[in-house]
Amino acid sequence: MEMQKLYLLVPMAPLVGAMIAGLFCRVIPRWVAHTATIAGVAIAFIASVIIFKDVLAGHTFNGTVYTWLTSGDYTFEVGFLIDTLTTTMMLVVTFVSLMVHIYTIGYMQEDPGYNRFFSYISLFTFSMLMLVMSNNFMQLFFGWEAVGLVSYLLIGFWYTRPTAIFANMKAFLVNRVGDFGFILGIGLVLAHFGTLDYKTVFEKAPELAATMINIWGAAEWSLMTVTCICLFIGAMGKSAQVPLHVWLPDSMEGPTPISALIHAATMVTAGIFMVARMSPLFELSTTALSFVIVIGAITALFMGFLGIIQNDIKRVVAYSTLSQLGYMTVALGASAYSVAIFHLMTHAFFKALLFLGAGSVIIGMHHDQDIRNMGGLRKYMPITWITSLIGSLALIGTPFMSGFYSKDSIIEAVALSHIPGAGFAYFAVLAGVFVTAFYSFRMYFLVFHGEERFGKAHGADHHDHHGDHDDEEASHDHHHGLAPGQKPHETPWVVTLPLVLLAIPSVVIGFIAIGPMVFGDYFKGVIFIDHHAHPAMEHLSEHFHGAVAMGVHSLTSLPFILALSGVVVSWFFYMKRPDIPAAIQRRFSAIHTLLENKYYFDKFNEVVFAGGSRLLGKMLWKGGDVAIIDGLIVNGSAKVVGWIASVTRLFQTGYVYHYAFTMIIGVFVLMTLWINRA
């Protein structure tokens, strides 16, 4: 019973902090807001550590906390499922959130919405915890939508900026598409399984594995395939997979701390977590897994290409997130669910580190985000420099760094997979290694090394941001960039401390966790794999001989050669011969234009979906409302009544003899009809 109270404390503590900071944001001082929210998240983190140790001791929990609604045979409950998958997510979410909360004190200190921001990020943490701790689809959907709602508040935090409003609307609309598929999947589960409880659904799933359903026409579809694809469409929205990825880069319009919170460990990983949790369902449909692996491969490779041309420091990291989410999705499609969660965990630390490092650079550069205006910052910002280097090395999969163990495991698992589409996925993730290393170290070299380009008057070409808008600070500060003669400066300890604390797991967590998480019994009884149909993980475990041996072996592997090549080419292009990338851009201007326009996804959506919606709305307005409802029904009815009145007026004269004459005619007509009928 005591542990159940502790389970409840984990989501409730951030919620209480959010309520204090939010409901009383106009009356409480700033220190109260950040103290209440940080204390709430810290309590959640400490409680998560205790629960994690309890689960490792063999104590799991699956039960109802509160029955929300009973309708006929259906019961909708709030309940918790506490196992190794849940506790892993709880630790990741609460730790990264705690670092973001501390970091926010320094980053948002001049912002008038300080208290409101702390309320939002604490509420975000509560929503994410409710999502990962759920034991049923109803609560999963609640957390799913709640985390989306708060993310929209955060993306549009500076609500007076048109770009923030547009980004917010874009995130909302795109995620509605994914959520439509998600709720269809949940509806299919409820209709065919008769319950929304995970345990019951997973137990009944093998019985319904061969069930076919009619969607339209005479064609029959596999229930498992349709359900899993619908659920995954929801994941495509939340976890930003092609073509529902377009909202994620634009979410950079919000303050930098939420970039780390949304992109690193929380909202975007919700879809990855959901598919891993639903492994008993996905294992029953090879078609669904094939769909997942192809979508992930496209995202991993083609979103990485977009990172190459970005000049906004936050957007480079954002496209990196898109690419790494593709890697996680590829792992899910290869039935390597444990590897996907492993990469989710390692990625959370080094990607949060990179985002917060980017924010530290932005502060030091007086809110200039253009990497072309930087250079040589390592001399002025040593802590930011070394932690950003650690994050970059982890991202590209440097041997013995955390990202290496998870990323290489994905590549090897895909190589051993026989799922249709695995061949293309293997090519995509291999090519993605070079691309990731190239754009990551392009950013690193341009920011921290080479010529000092700050404090100078730049031409208009250095402020286009490729559409990446230059306002990072609220309207109280209109000055962006260092004035001539100004030098960057290291950020205060509330900013650098989270960087150091995130850098530690970015180095060691992969080495420590790969054995138990991927090849041990850590997820036993939680993640289910049909090894006969999908033997990739079984084959992969045969090749694993320890973390040290894996690191040593990788020094001669193709992924390491590709990553090293990406770093070397990047250094040569941007440190030694910057004329070469400029010449390539001129020579292949059509490809550059394609990348700059993000494969025209936005244009397509604007013309086809937004334009089509507007056209449909105009047709319904002009044709339906104006012509049919107003013109035909309302005005037409009035005209008919008016015509009847005008005709009737001819007989309503007020003279008795006219009425007598009408009566005679009426009697004559009736008699005629009666006689004819007889």
Side-chain angles (χ1 to χ4, degrees):
M1 188 65 185
E2 291 301 319
M3 288 305 298
Q4 292 182 32
K5 291 179 180 178
L6 202 60
Y7 302 152
L8 198 58
L9 180 64
V10 174
M12 288 297 109
L15 179 62
V16 171
M19 291 172 66
I20 294 171
L23 296 176
F24 306 103
C25 64
R26 297 182 183 276
V27 295
I28 60 174
R30 292 187 168 200
W31 70 267
V32 174
H34 71 236
T35 301
T37 52
I38 290 173
V41 176
I43 290 169
F45 173 66
I46 295 166
S48 296
V49 172
I50 297 169
I51 294 167
F52 174 70
K53 290 180 177 179
D54 188 60
V55 169
L56 288 184
H59 304 121
T60 59
F61 176 81
N62 182 15
T64 301
V65 175
Y66 174 71
T67 300
W68 178 60
L69 176 68
T70 300
S71 178
D73 296 330
Y74 302 120
T75 301
F76 303 93
E77 301 169 334
V78 176
F80 293 147
L81 172 58
I82 307 297
D83 55 22
T84 48
L85 178 57
T86 303
T87 52
T88 302
M89 293 298 298
M90 287 163 62
L91 286 173
V92 169
V93 169
T94 52
F95 180 74
V96 172
S97 180
L98 182 60
M99 296 300 102
V100 169
H101 276 71
I102 296 170
Y103 179 94
T104 300
I105 297 174
Y107 194 88
M108 299 292 288
Q109 61 182 339
E110 299 177 3
D111 197 284
Y114 186 90
N115 291 0
R116 178 166 59 92
F117 188 81
F118 271 99
S119 174
Y120 287 172
I121 57 176
S122 196
L123 187 60
F124 188 100
T125 308
F126 158 76
S127 303
M128 194 64 197
L129 288 168
M130 288 296 288
L131 188 159
V132 301
M133 294 174 71
S134 63
N135 74 341
N136 62 84
F137 285 91
M138 193 279 292
Q139 188 177 329
L140 175 71
F141 187 72
F142 163 78
W144 196 268
E145 294 304 308
V147 80
L149 171 65
V150 186
S151 72
Y152 310 141
L153 294 174
L154 287 165
I155 295 168
F157 181 77
W158 289 317
Y159 52 83
T160 58
R161 287 166 46 184
T163 52
I165 297 168
F166 181 79
N168 192 23
M169 182 177 65
K170 193 173 184 179
F172 180 84
L173 292 175
V174 172
N175 273 277
R176 295 288 67 73
V177 177
D179 290 353
F180 180 70
F182 189 58
I183 202 166
L184 284 178
I186 294 175
L188 284 170
V189 169
L190 183 62
H192 291 274
F193 290 84
T195 180
L196 293 176
D197 180 71
Y198 290 164
K199 186 173 183 287
T200 309
V201 170
F202 297 160
E203 288 173 350
K204 289 180 68 174
E207 301 173 16
L208 300 174
T211 301
M212 307 298 286
I213 58 173
N214 287 100
I215 300 176
W216 62 79
E220 289 192 324
W221 301 72
S222 166
L223 170 65
M224 287 301 162
T225 298
V226 175
T227 301
C228 290
I229 289 177
C230 284
L231 290 172
F232 180 68
I233 289 171
M236 288 169 65
K238 281 290 182 289
S239 294
Q241 298 295 294
V242 173
L244 302 182
H245 69 284
V246 293
W247 67 271
L248 195 66
D250 284 325
S251 67
M252 296 294 100
E253 289 297 325
T256 297
I258 69 104
S259 301
L261 200 59
I262 291 177
H263 292 65
T266 48
M267 178 177 168
V268 293
T269 60
I272 308 300
F273 162 79
M274 185 272 293
V275 175
R277 176 63 80 193
M278 304 299 151
S279 60
L281 301 182
F282 279 83
E283 283 299 289
L284 297 172
S285 175
T286 299
T287 304
L289 289 174
S290 183
F291 180 77
V292 171
I293 201 170
V294 170
I295 292 293
I298 294 169
T299 306
L301 181 59
F302 290 94
M303 293 302 106
F305 287 141
L306 295 181
I308 297 173
I309 65 151
Q310 301 301 315
N311 294 312
D312 184 302
I313 189 170
K314 286 170 62 178
R315 296 215 173 204
V316 177
V317 186
Y319 280 106
S320 162
T321 300
L322 281 171
S323 180
Q324 296 308 304
L325 286 167
Y327 274 83
M328 298 175 206
T329 304
V330 164
L332 295 171
S335 290
Y337 305 100
S338 58
V339 181
I341 297 298
F342 183 44
H343 193 52
L344 182 159
M345 180 186 69
T346 61
H347 175 267
F349 297 120
F350 64 71
K351 187 52 58 71
L353 172 59
L354 285 170
F355 268 117
L356 298 187
S360 181
V361 168
I362 292 168
I363 295 172
M365 288 294 299
H366 206 161
H367 301 282
D368 187 352
Q369 296 178 207
D370 196 325
I371 60 177
R372 295 169 295 181
N373 299 341
M374 301 176 188
L377 291 190
R378 66 188 178 98
K379 182 167 66 175
Y380 303 98
M381 306 179 72
I383 299 174
T384 303
W385 162 61
I386 195 67
T387 51
S388 296
L389 176 59
I390 290 170
S392 299
L393 290 171
L395 170 62
I396 69 169
T398 306
F400 300 103
M401 303 288 284
S402 64
F404 155 73
Y405 289 103
S406 54
K407 200 171 182 178
D408 265 40
S409 296
I410 292 173
I411 295 170
E412 291 178 26
V414 175
L416 296 168
S417 175
H418 303 299
I419 297 279
F424 167 67
Y426 181 61
F427 164 76
V429 294
L430 266 183
V433 172
F434 175 85
V435 174
T436 301
F438 180 81
Y439 70 68
S440 298
F441 273 82
R442 169 183 176 263
M443 179 184 72
Y444 170 76
F445 289 130
L446 288 176
V447 172
F448 294 106
H449 295 271
E451 177 194 357
E452 297 179 0
R453 298 177 298 277
F454 48 80
K456 300 178 182 179
H458 297 280
D461 62 315
H462 276 214
H463 295 282
D464 59 16
H465 290 270
H466 294 290
D468 306 340
H469 314 285
D470 60 357
D471 288 334
E472 172 58 26
E473 198 49 270
S475 58
H476 68 274
D477 185 359
H478 295 283
H479 178 65
H480 297 273
L482 297 168
Q486 278 189 306
K487 300 294 183 184
H489 56 86
E490 187 61 274
T491 45
W493 72 267
V494 288
V495 173
T496 54
L497 177 63
L499 298 182
V500 174
L501 293 177
L502 285 165
I504 296 169
S506 297
V507 176
V508 303
I509 196 72
F511 183 91
I512 296 169
I514 185 170
M517 281 189 74
V518 178
F519 302 107
D521 294 332
Y522 186 79
F523 289 124
K524 187 178 181 181
V526 178
I527 288 172
F528 299 88
I529 302 174
D530 183 352
H531 291 290
H532 178 72
H534 311 127
M537 284 303 296
E538 204 168 49
H539 295 327
L540 185 62
S541 61
E542 296 170 2
H543 294 81
F544 181 73
H545 304 290
V548 175
M550 183 177 175
V552 173
H553 173 72
S554 72
L555 296 173
T556 57
S557 67
L558 183 57
F560 175 72
I561 295 169
L562 288 170
L564 183 61
S565 302
V567 174
V568 171
V569 172
S570 179
W571 170 81
F572 183 72
F573 275 15
Y574 295 98
M575 292 292 98
K576 296 297 180 183
R577 293 291 303 278
D579 58 301
I580 294 178
I584 293 173
Q585 181 179 333
R586 288 193 300 271
R587 180 68 179 83
F588 299 97
S589 59
I591 296 175
H592 186 270
T593 302
L594 178 67
L595 296 176
E596 197 170 40
N597 287 279
K598 296 171 280 190
Y599 305 114
Y600 293 97
F601 273 106
D602 284 338
K603 195 69 170 177
F604 179 81
N605 290 334
E606 186 180 331
V607 172
V608 177
F609 292 111
S613 299
R614 287 195 298 270
L615 180 63
L616 179 62
K618 193 173 182 178
M619 288 171 59
L620 292 172
W621 168 42
K622 292 286 190 182
D625 191 32
V626 176
I628 297 175
I629 296 174
D630 283 346
L632 184 61
I633 298 175
V634 178
N635 295 334
S637 301
K639 288 177 179 177
V640 169
V641 171
W643 178 79
I644 293 171
S646 65
V647 174
T648 306
R649 194 179 298 118
L650 298 174
F651 301 95
Q652 298 292 335
T653 61
Y655 294 107
V656 175
Y657 61 88
H658 283 169
Y659 297 133
F661 184 69
T662 303
M663 289 174 65
I664 291 168
I665 293 174
V667 170
F668 176 76
V669 170
L670 288 172
M671 290 296 290
T672 303
L673 292 172
W674 183 76
I675 291 168
N676 288 337
R677 189 177 177 185

